Structure formats: structure tokens, C-alpha cells
Amino acid sequence: MANEKTYAMLKPGVLERKIVGEIISRFEKKGLRIAALKLRKIPRELCEQHYAEHKDKPFFSELVNYVTGGPVVTMVISGEEAISTVRKICGATKPAEAAPGTIRGDYGAVVTKNVIHASDSPESAAREIKLFFETEEVIDYPTGDETYLV
Ligand code: IDP
Ligand code: MG
């Protein structure tokens, strides 16, 4: 077991549909903790850097257009095995393949608009947290987890 931090981002449709609270509460209920949280419109260049691994894919410009087309919620989520746990809570990339009970399985319909991004590895998490947050914006604080989770 390892305490980890991961980066997650609610895509613009979540703001339009007013389901920010519903989505974030899934992480809180699991025992994970919000370590940083911001609502913002991200510049195109930052979005392209974030998704750099996909720059040669046919869907790249559609994805960047979508994610920069409205506000997003950027977050750092921390907790035990946070990187893999958050990915599991999000579900498979394609909403049609995402299991019911996962965020993408419950709220997604189309792959570009698949509700949420989450880091896929420790290396991605470190890179993405650094891209979106200053060190002092990521906050450690006690939650009393040990009284009911550990
Ligand atoms: P992930 O978000 O589950 O890590 P990635 O393969 O890293 O999935 O792709 C990044 C994002 O690009 C996805 O969340 C999705 O919105 C979009 N995407 C991935 N594959 C496709 C595709 O085949 N067509 C259109 N969009 C895609
Ligand atoms: Mg990915």
C-alpha cells in the first residue's frame, strides 16, 4: 500500500450538466481526499502539452477543442493507491465499454466527452500535477481517516 497523489480533470460537459458534486463525491466516499481543486478554462497550449502523447492520433484536435471549449475542474486526489483507484472509479476510456458503476459507465456516452481524465501511472501523475498546479497549491491535511478507514 502506498499513499499517492494523482491528477484528475472533469471535462467541460460536467460543468454544463451540473454534476460536479456527484462526480467528486464518488472519490470522497471511497476515502480519497481532495488535495487541490480549481475551476478554470485551460489554454490550448497547456491542453496540448497535457495530451502530448496523443498528438499524432486522429482524434487529437477534436479532443483539444472539446477540453478547451469550456471550463474544466482540475484536481489532485490523494490517498492509498490513489492512481489506480481513481482510474478504476473512472472506468474504461470508451463509455460503451465502461462498466456500470464507474463514472464513465454511468455518465458517459461518447469517447471524446467521456466525463473525466485521470493519470494512468506514477510518472503521468507527477507530470500532470506539475503542469496544472504550483507546489504550494497541493495541500496535505489530516482527515481523521485512521478512525474509520485504516
Ligand atoms: P484515458 O483518458 O482513459 O487515459 P487515453 O487513451 O489516454 O484515455 O485518451 C485520452 C482521451 O482521448 C480519452 O479520455 C478520450 O476522451 C480521447 N480518446 C481516446 N481514444 C479515442 C478515440 O479512439 N476516438 C476519439 N477520442 C478518443
Ligand atoms: Mg490517458
Side-chain angles (χ1 to χ4, degrees), residues 5-132:
K5 289 188 171 66
T6 192
Y7 175 70
M9 179 168 68
L10 307 184
K11 297 184 181 182
V14 176
L15 282 299
E16 290 165 21
R17 294 163 71 187
K18 306 184 196 77
I19 52 173
V20 171
E22 282 178 48
I23 306 289
I24 292 179
S25 73
R26 291 182 172 220
F27 300 116
E28 293 188 312
K29 284 178 190 164
K30 180 66 181 168
L32 297 163
R33 184 163 55 82
I34 305 302
L37 185 65
K38 204 182 283 187
L39 172 70
R40 62 183 292 199
K41 279 190 83 174
I42 58 174
R44 190 168 191 90
E45 190 180 304
L46 175 60
C47 191
E48 287 175 350
Q49 261 182 290
H50 171 65
Y51 282 122
E53 66 176 305
H54 300 301
K55 68 178 180 344
D56 298 323
K57 307 259 175 72
F59 59 81
F60 184 69
S61 60
E62 185 190 345
L63 177 63
V64 172
N65 286 343
Y66 177 59
V67 174
T68 56
V72 298
V73 172
T74 58
M75 296 183 274
V76 177
I77 300 174
S78 78
E80 287 296 319
E81 314 273 346
I83 298 166
S84 60
T85 303
V86 168
R87 289 282 291 189
K88 282 185 204 135
I89 292 170
C90 291
T93 303
K94 294 191 166 85
E97 292 170 9
T102 65
I103 291 170
R104 288 162 167 176
D106 288 351
Y107 295 95
V110 173
V111 65
T112 305
K113 302 179 180 175
N114 61 355
V115 186
I116 186 164
H117 165 86
S119 307
D120 64 5
S121 65
E123 295 71 30
S124 301
R127 187 182 81 86
E128 293 168 2
I129 291 169
K130 198 155 176 258
L131 263 183
F132 287 93

